[in-house]
Amino acid sequence: MKIALKLAATVLAVSGTFSPAAVAQEYPTKPVRIVASEAGGGGDFIARLVAQGLTSAFGQQVVVENRGGGVIAGDVVAKSPPDGYTLLLYGNTLWLLPLMRKQVPYDPHRDFLPITLAGRAVNILVVHPSLPAKSAKDLIALARARPGQLNFSTAAPGTINHLAGELFNSMAKVNIVRVSYRGSPSALTAVMSGEVQLMFATAAPAKPHIQAGRVRPLAVTSANRSTTYPELPTLSESGLPGFEAVSMHGIFAPAKTPDALIARLNQEIVRVLQRPDSRERFAGIGAEPIGNTPEQLTAEIKAEIARMGKVIRDANIQEK
């Protein structure tokens, strides 16, 4: 079969009718890899869901390669051939990290081509049950009455739960002090133990603790109400109009990947994301599938860089 494809390509090239569109229709002729962050996270879950769907659609194995956090995954894909066989599925850190770190081995605008926004995951503002705040408005009033006395927990500097907290401080005009932990599980445990008062927690790991009453949810960080937590108001509804801080998971190809391949990948990935079973599985982690155009993903990234860039500068967030 591979020999036949190569022969067909040769004939088309000689006849002068060989085109990128023809290559895109034949693609892929070998396994494809999706480079993602560490195993077990939301990005890894989405990458595996997409890989499973593409394997069925392509008739070729699509595998997920976990490359940890930070800049590693982006660096790997930025240096890969632009042939559609190495893709990147990564979150906000990809385009926000260069705003917080002086040396990053890739340029998020120059080195990647957007394919689609795979999904968004909300964070939930949760507090320790002993805190006398039953709503986000209550929390704002309490924080204004106790400047510098309340704490919010986060994972590493620059993560979305950190940026959400700094955005909350800025928009609510309060001073809630950040306390950093090794990872999100430790940060959430700190709220449950009462070591800190609140966190902008990732939805999926927070859910069982919300159900058990170990933390109290006040609001979601998305622009619109979450389909997974429709009973919770948004922070925008709770006195902070325009508040938005969500985990975004985009899919990218190396720069100079042919337009025809980008279009083919977009078509197939969007088809996977729009399946009813995909929506159901996304809901299980407090997320929703998106599946938009490359242009729409570019616009969303630019908007977030503008919004979060101000937060990063004002809070002087630097990652070593």
Side-chain angles (χ1 to χ4, degrees):
M1 181 64 179
K2 290 182 179 179
I3 294 173
L5 285 171
K6 287 180 181 178
L7 213 58
T10 303
V11 171
L12 285 168
V14 170
S15 65
T17 59
F18 183 71
S19 70
V23 173
Q25 289 305 312
E26 293 168 359
Y27 165 92
T29 59
K30 63 181 182 180
V32 176
R33 65 172 175 162
I34 300 176
V35 181
S37 56
E38 65 274 2
D44 176 55
F45 171 88
I46 295 172
R48 292 183 187 281
L49 186 150
V50 170
Q52 184 180 27
L54 290 182
T55 295
S56 299
F58 287 155
Q60 287 283 352
Q61 192 70 28
V62 180
V63 299
V64 175
E65 182 178 305
N66 299 107
R67 284 299 189 115
V71 301
I72 301 172
D75 191 31
V76 168
V77 177
K79 294 174 180 174
S80 295
D83 55 8
Y85 289 96
T86 300
L87 308 177
L88 175 66
L89 190 148
Y90 220 76
N92 316 59
T93 306
L94 181 73
W95 51 89
L96 293 180
L97 193 60
L99 304 179
M100 298 178 278
R101 184 186 291 187
K102 290 182 180 179
Q103 293 186 331
V104 176
Y106 60 79
D107 182 312
H109 308 289
R110 181 195 64 212
D111 295 333
F112 307 104
L113 288 177
I115 298 173
T116 189
L117 179 62
R120 292 191 194 93
V122 302
N123 280 18
I124 302 177
L125 170 56
V126 298
V127 300
H128 188 269
S130 67
L131 199 71
K134 300 295 192 296
S135 68
K137 288 183 178 179
D138 289 347
L139 177 62
I140 292 170
L142 186 65
R144 287 175 178 169
R146 301 184 192 174
Q149 296 179 35
L150 301 182
N151 300 106
F152 73 97
S153 59
T154 78
T159 54
I160 195 65
N161 52 44
H162 178 197
L163 295 178
E166 298 294 358
L167 182 61
F168 186 86
N169 271 340
S170 175
M171 293 185 69
K173 296 179 173 55
V174 296
N175 178 23
I176 303 176
V177 180
R178 171 180 173 263
V179 180
S180 181
Y181 290 85
R182 181 167 301 204
S184 293
S186 300
L188 185 56
T189 298
V191 182
M192 291 188 285
S193 69
E195 191 172 305
V196 298
Q197 288 78 38
L198 61 116
M199 180 184 181
F200 293 83
T202 305
K207 186 174 183 178
H209 304 300
I210 292 171
Q211 292 173 332
R214 289 185 282 268
V215 293
R216 179 191 303 132
L218 301 185
V220 293
T221 62
S222 49
N224 301 306
R225 290 205 179 199
S226 166
T227 54
T228 309
Y229 300 92
E231 73 283 1
L232 289 178
T234 66
L235 282 165
S236 188
E237 292 176 282
S238 305
L240 301 177
F243 189 103
E244 184 177 10
V246 298
S247 297
M248 296 165 57
H249 299 280
I251 303 181
F252 305 85
K256 299 183 181 178
T257 300
D259 291 345
L261 278 182
I262 296 293
R264 173 84 192 282
L265 284 161
N266 176 271
Q267 179 185 49
E268 297 295 350
I269 293 170
V270 169
R271 187 174 289 135
V272 171
L273 294 170
Q274 289 178 342
R275 292 184 339 204
D277 63 310
S278 295
R279 186 164 295 278
E280 188 175 318
R281 291 172 66 185
F282 266 77
I285 63 164
E288 62 173 331
I290 303 300
N292 58 11
T293 67
E295 293 77 17
Q296 288 170 324
L297 174 54
T298 298
E300 292 210 32
I301 289 172
K302 285 182 178 178
E304 187 178 63
I305 287 174
R307 183 173 66 252
M308 289 305 184
K310 184 178 186 306
V311 173
I312 290 165
R313 290 190 300 274
D314 290 350
N316 193 28
I317 300 171
Q318 296 295 318
E319 185 179 283
K320 296 180 181 179

